[in-house]
Amino acid sequence: MTVLELRDVVKEYKLREGLRTRKLRAVDQVSFRLEPGRTIALVGQSGSGKSTIAKLLMQLERPTAGEILVNDKPMVYRGSRAATYRKAVQMVFQDPFASLNPYHTVGHHLARPLRLHHPGLSREQLADRVLELLRRVRLDPAEDFVQRKPHELSGGQRQRVAIARALAPSPGILVADEPVSMLDVSIRLGVLNLLATLQREENLGVLYITHDLATARHFSDEIMVLYRGEVVERGPADDVILNPQHEYTRLLADAAPDPERRLAELKR
Ligand code: ADP
Ligand code: MG
């Protein structure tokens, strides 16, 4: 089974330049298949089209051409099947400070999607499910976090709450757009390890969006290198890193000096 498939997906934006309009292909004929329990890294510099792909998956944009399939069915934008789709694909954003509401407790952030996607839950069941989510993202002891507000949490703890919230609807796919790039270097590895554990233990398909080849290699099965909206190189993570075919991949590898050293830094 394939949880997520893109077939020749194109996204064009129209840009105004004075009296003329120009088309910009933010995503150009991108195709890939994501299987359950696998991680694909989408790697590219700023402006290469990574977030546009995330927006297409979140239905914030629609493709200009091509097809997106979830669980082997074409994406639907309206009606009850659209709701099923939105449940299946969940997102973790870059900025854990902006993605949580400062006025709401951790418990509220998690109870809301649980109630929405599992309307039959009783109050007690809901409270149990909130605790269970907190344990799944290793916020321990879970009871201590329920009543806290975002400002009482560290960046890493906030990102764990954001991940717990993404897990609430029981998705098959997690899209993580630069999930650790705003966190302190010292806590990045912990959050990436959590995503890896969830992918493995819960059979999630993970699309890991990053500009960092070192973590892409460590945390994914497959790497796709995106350059100006196009996939210019793809393959098993080690092959792409150890034997890059495309000039741009080599440039990216050089920009992240030495993957082993970078990982050693992260682990410190
Ligand atoms: P990345 O996430 O890799 O940094 P983006 O997907 O955000 O890249 O952007 C890809 C390209 O599309 C960039 O050139 C960007 O300027 C352009 N772009 C993104 N969103 C829009 C938009 N809403 N309107 C016009 N151009 C856009
Ligand atoms: Mg981006």
Side-chain angles (χ1 to χ4, degrees):
M1 197 188 67
T2 307
V3 281
L4 177 65
E5 181 173 358
L6 270 66
R7 289 187 188 154
D8 297 321
V9 169
V10 174
K11 176 65 195 177
E12 280 179 354
Y13 290 112
K14 289 202 179 73
L15 300 180
R16 278 248 175 104
E17 289 180 345
L19 296 173
R20 293 159 177 257
T21 58
R22 187 170 67 86
K23 282 183 186 157
L24 174 111
R25 280 209 165 190
V27 176
D28 196 358
Q29 304 256 339
V30 168
S31 301
F32 64 86
R33 298 165 70 115
L34 179 61
E35 321 286 337
R38 308 265 302 170
T39 298
I40 296 183
L42 193 57
V43 186
Q45 275 175 337
S46 172
S48 57
K50 305 184 298 294
S51 292
T52 303
I53 290 177
K55 283 183 205 156
L56 291 166
L57 296 176
M58 293 311 291
Q59 301 194 330
L60 298 172
E61 299 282 6
R62 295 204 189 190
T64 311
E67 254 195 310
I68 303 177
L69 296 95
V70 172
N71 297 324
D72 301 315
K73 292 190 202 74
M75 188 186 259
V76 185
Y77 293 87
R78 286 208 197 90
S80 61
R81 281 189 48 216
T84 311
Y85 171 81
R86 283 195 284 270
K87 183 170 130 96
V89 184
Q90 291 294 314
M91 181 92 193
V92 178
F93 296 95
Q94 179 173 13
D95 186 354
F97 296 88
S99 64
L100 301 180
N101 185 327
Y103 299 106
H104 289 154
T105 62
V106 168
H108 180 94
H109 277 97
L110 302 182
R112 219 171 141 242
L114 281 171
R115 223 182 281 123
L116 195 68
H117 292 285
H118 310 279
L121 293 176
S122 69
R123 272 181 80 95
E124 293 74 30
Q125 284 171 327
L126 199 60
D128 283 347
R129 293 287 282 271
V130 166
L131 292 174
E132 181 206 317
L133 280 172
L134 289 168
R135 289 190 195 107
R136 275 159 74 193
V137 297
R138 278 55 172 184
L139 285 173
D140 214 26
E143 290 77 4
D144 286 3
F145 286 90
V146 177
Q147 292 305 325
R148 287 205 213 166
K149 297 254 177 80
H151 74 266
E152 299 170 282
L153 304 174
S154 70
Q157 289 171 336
R158 284 179 203 219
Q159 202 57 315
R160 284 168 194 267
V161 173
I163 294 169
R165 178 177 56 184
L167 294 175
S170 313
I173 302 156
L174 218 52
V175 179
D177 189 356
E178 304 269 9
V180 299
S181 58
M182 291 191 67
L183 303 180
D184 276 358
V185 172
S186 59
I187 55 174
R188 288 182 183 175
L189 197 67
V191 172
L192 289 173
N193 274 327
L194 171 64
L195 287 172
T197 304
L198 293 169
Q199 168 250 315
R200 209 171 41 241
E201 291 178 356
E202 312 200 8
N203 214 27
L204 279 171
V206 177
L207 185 65
Y208 172 45
I209 299 179
T210 182
H211 60 275
D212 182 17
L213 269 180
T215 57
R217 178 185 179 189
H218 194 68
F219 289 97
S220 45
D221 303 294
E222 192 186 332
I223 292 181
M224 288 188 302
V225 179
L226 204 61
Y227 176 64
R228 295 193 178 176
E230 263 186 277
V231 176
V232 293
E233 181 152 1
R234 69 199 312 161
D238 281 350
D239 291 1
V240 169
I241 305 289
L242 298 176
N243 191 16
Q245 298 299 307
H246 198 277
E247 183 62 23
Y248 178 66
T249 312
R250 275 179 231 137
L251 284 173
L252 274 181
D254 291 344
D258 173 354
E260 299 302 334
R261 179 147 38 97
R262 287 270 291 107
L263 268 179
E265 270 169 31
L266 281 171
K267 280 176 178 154
R268 250 197 274 133

